[in-house]
């Protein structure tokens, strides 16, 4: 959906993460209006563990977001296929959970909770990123590829697989699936194909974390 650059905000001398929308519909006026509305919502979100959006706009017809730059990498890079110690998981769970709850109170559903969308700072604190962008991507998909469900398969709740409307409860499901992976070193469901993975999320009982 986008290309992210490390950029310099020259006016105040700080580094930012510059996300430039580069998808096929970036120049579509309807998509541009949706992006503007989503960006305004993102910029209003306020919580210590939600990645800050400093600015948004358009350059040469390409929408962009200027966001806080984190230097600790992503949660995905930390997992590496091995379980994370419980005290560390509890710290991240509290930070991410509070950020998610704050966003829900402010009427914003993330729609794509996954380790790639959790960034870490130098002190190993967790920050949620890309709020609302999954919603924007869904809207674009509905315009261009009707019937294709956007999201990250390993964390998508059953209602999203089935194409139903999602709300804050979908974020809680994805959050729980991500915490499961942090504790177990692997996601709750794995399959060789998307249809098989969908069947597990929709019909299979949740595996026991204690059994692992």
């Amino acid at each position: 959906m986008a290309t992210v650059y490390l950029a310099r905000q020259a006016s105040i001398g700080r580094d930012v993460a510059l996300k430039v929308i580069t998808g096929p519909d970036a120049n579509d006026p309807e998509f541009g209006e949706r992006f503007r509305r989503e960006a305004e919502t993102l910029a209003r979100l306020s919580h210590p563990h939600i990645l800050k959006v400093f600015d948004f706009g358009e350059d040469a017809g390409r929408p962009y977001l200027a966001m806080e730059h984190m230097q600790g990498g992503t949660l995905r890079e930390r997992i590496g296929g091995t379980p994370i110690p419980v005290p560390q998981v509890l710290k991240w769970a509290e930070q991410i959970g509070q950020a998610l709850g704050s966003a829900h109170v402010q009427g914003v559903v993330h729609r794509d909770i996954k380790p790639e969308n959790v960034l870490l700072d130098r002190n190993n604190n967790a920050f949620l990123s890309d709020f609302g962008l999954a919603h924007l991507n869904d809207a674009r998909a509905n315009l261009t590829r009707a019937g294709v469900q956007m999201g990250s398969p390993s964390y998508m709740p059953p209602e999203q697989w089935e194409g139903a409307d999602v709300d804050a409860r979908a974020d809680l499901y994805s959050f729980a699936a991500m915490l499961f992976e942090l504790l177990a070193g692997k996601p709750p469901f794995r399959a060789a194909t998307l249809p098989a993975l969908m069947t597990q999320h929709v019909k299979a009982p949740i595996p026991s974390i204690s059994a692992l």
Side-chain angles (χ1 to χ4, degrees):
M1 181 180 180
T3 302
V4 183
Y5 301 92
L6 174 61
R8 187 76 170 170
Q9 187 175 358
S11 59
I12 59 174
R14 70 178 169 193
D15 289 340
V16 298
L18 190 68
K19 176 165 285 193
V20 181
I21 307 300
T22 55
D25 298 313
N27 295 319
D28 179 80
E30 185 174 353
F31 178 83
E33 176 60 21
R34 288 182 181 274
F35 175 85
R36 184 188 64 79
R37 292 199 302 265
E38 293 289 343
E40 288 177 349
T41 299
L42 294 178
R44 286 196 299 267
L45 281 179
S46 177
H47 189 274
H49 291 281
I50 292 178
L51 195 72
K52 293 181 178 66
V53 174
F54 296 132
D55 195 12
F56 62 90
E58 186 178 291
D59 181 71
R62 293 177 298 178
Y64 68 82
L65 288 170
M67 303 177 294
E68 192 174 8
H69 175 235
M70 291 290 167
Q71 297 181 328
T74 69
L75 209 53
R76 168 60 63 207
E77 294 165 332
R78 292 294 182 91
I79 294 175
T82 58
I84 303 293
V86 171
Q88 180 63 75
V89 174
L90 290 176
K91 175 185 175 181
W92 287 337
E94 182 175 11
Q95 293 174 339
I96 299 165
Q98 289 180 355
L100 199 54
S102 175
H104 291 164
V105 168
Q106 296 175 71
V108 177
V109 179
H110 191 288
R111 302 167 73 97
D112 196 20
I113 300 292
K114 58 183 178 182
E116 290 83 351
N117 283 338
V118 177
L119 304 182
L120 302 172
D121 67 8
R122 289 176 172 175
N123 297 317
N124 214 28
N125 294 303
F127 298 80
L128 271 178
S129 68
D130 281 356
F131 264 98
L133 294 186
H135 187 196
L136 183 67
N137 215 10
D138 277 351
R140 184 174 65 179
N142 289 338
L143 291 172
T144 60
R145 301 196 304 278
V148 176
Q149 294 308 307
M150 307 302 291
S152 301
S154 292
Y155 314 97
M156 281 171 55
E159 62 268 31
Q160 195 169 1
W161 281 106
E162 295 175 333
D165 291 337
V166 300
D167 56 26
R169 293 169 294 181
D171 281 349
L172 297 183
Y173 182 97
S174 300
F175 180 40
M178 185 176 71
L179 292 180
F180 186 105
E181 183 174 3
L182 291 175
L183 291 167
K186 61 182 180 181
F189 298 117
R190 292 193 293 185
T193 66
L194 282 177
L197 187 60
M198 177 182 71
T199 299
Q200 291 184 51
H201 275 279
V202 173
K203 296 183 178 180
I206 302 296
S208 169
I209 186 73
S210 60
L212 299 171

